[in-house]
């Protein structure tokens, strides 16, 4: 949808629409206009949620780094503040472990696993396995793209519900070394006791 205030632009747009078929159907136009009426509210809520999630992640012991431009500890926070009124709704973080990152993505219950950037629903993904999987690992490494990065596109659900979901995903991770050690102990012949019946 484009609104212009000059007839020559309107004529050029009409020509393109007519020649290429880029015009929306009436129902699509209605839905787009209806969505625009509440867009500011949805973006404000998603951004507020993202700020709270970024703060939660920054204080979490299993998170090694948070990428959110509106946080004061972001290297470009001052520059970002001159260009935007908030940090947006995308928060990324690293854990120092690809296994933990993948677990968090798969163990959340309220987040949809997908690579999209926007929805009223919260989304989560491991970019190195999804959206950036076609980029060779050595190229990602040369560009300092962390293999354990998790991208969260925050929606408009209640922030506490989203934070609790992320917390339970972190808490449910059983570190592979510890898990393997427990399996070894459990399977050890020394661990088997003769219990009288």
């Amino acid at each position: 949808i484009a609104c212009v205030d000059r007839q020559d632009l309107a004529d050029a747009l009409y020509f393109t629409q007519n020649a290429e078929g880029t015009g929306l159907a009436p129902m699509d136009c209605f839905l787009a206009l209806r969505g625009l009426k509440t867009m500011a509210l949805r973006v404000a809520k998603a951004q507020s949620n993202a700020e709270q999630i970024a703060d939660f992640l920054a204080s979490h012991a299993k998170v090694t780094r948070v990428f959110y431009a509106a946080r004061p500890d972001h290297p470009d926070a001052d520059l970002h503040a001159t260009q935007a009124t908030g940090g947006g709704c995308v928060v990324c973080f690293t854990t120092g472990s690809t296994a933990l990152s993948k677990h968090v993505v798969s163990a959340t219950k309220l987040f949809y696993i997908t690579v999209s950037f926007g929805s009223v629903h919260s989304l989560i993904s491991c970019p190195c396995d999804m959206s950036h999987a076609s980029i060779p690992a050595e190229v990602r490494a040369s560009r300092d793209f962390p293999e354990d990065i998790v991208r969260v596109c925050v929606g408009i659900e209640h922030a506490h519900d989203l934070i609790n979901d992320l917390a339970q995903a972190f808490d449910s991770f059983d570190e592979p070394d510890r898990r393997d050690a427990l399996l070894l102990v459990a399977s050890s012949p020394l661990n088997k006791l003769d219990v009288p019946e």
Side-chain angles (χ1 to χ4, degrees):
I1 297 174
C3 298
V4 296
D5 60 358
R6 291 187 0 226
Q7 187 60 45
D8 61 323
L9 288 176
D11 293 340
L13 284 171
Y14 175 76
F15 175 81
T16 302
Q17 174 187 354
N18 187 48
E20 297 183 12
T22 56
L24 297 173
M27 186 64 178
D28 296 331
C29 291
F30 164 75
L31 292 172
L33 286 172
R34 185 178 72 170
L36 285 173
K37 292 176 184 175
T38 59
M39 184 174 178
L41 297 171
R42 289 181 279 121
V43 169
K45 174 62 175 165
Q47 183 169 276
S48 172
N49 286 351
E51 290 167 357
Q52 293 175 66
I53 288 172
D55 289 342
F56 162 75
L57 292 168
S59 67
H60 199 285
K62 292 183 179 174
V63 173
T64 56
R65 188 167 177 198
V66 174
F67 300 88
Y68 189 65
R71 283 189 55 77
D73 58 354
H74 191 282
D76 294 321
D78 292 337
L79 174 63
H80 181 79
T82 67
Q83 300 173 345
T85 56
C89 63
V90 178
V91 180
C92 295
F93 65 94
T94 57
T95 63
S97 162
T98 55
L100 173 56
S101 293
K102 289 177 183 181
H103 175 81
V104 169
V105 168
S106 63
T108 56
K109 296 178 170 78
L110 299 179
F111 293 80
Y112 291 88
I113 301 174
T114 185
V115 297
S116 178
F117 278 111
S119 178
V120 292
H121 306 289
S122 292
L123 315 172
I124 193 167
S125 67
C126 281
C128 288
D129 289 335
M130 299 170 77
S131 58
H132 293 66
S134 63
I135 301 171
E138 59 274 5
V139 173
R140 292 194 303 260
S142 72
R143 296 177 183 170
D144 296 325
F145 194 90
E147 292 292 314
D148 62 326
I149 196 165
V150 175
R151 181 176 60 214
V152 179
C153 299
V154 184
I156 63 171
E157 303 92 345
H158 198 289
H160 296 296
D161 292 339
L162 297 173
I163 289 168
N164 288 338
D165 191 24
L166 286 167
Q168 70 77 26
F170 278 110
D171 292 344
S172 68
F173 180 69
D174 194 5
E175 296 177 23
D177 293 342
R178 185 170 169 258
R179 183 180 63 235
D180 293 344
L182 290 173
L183 288 173
L184 253 158
V185 169
S187 64
S188 168
L190 299 174
N191 195 36
K192 302 214 185 318
L193 300 173
D194 291 326
V195 180
E197 294 182 23

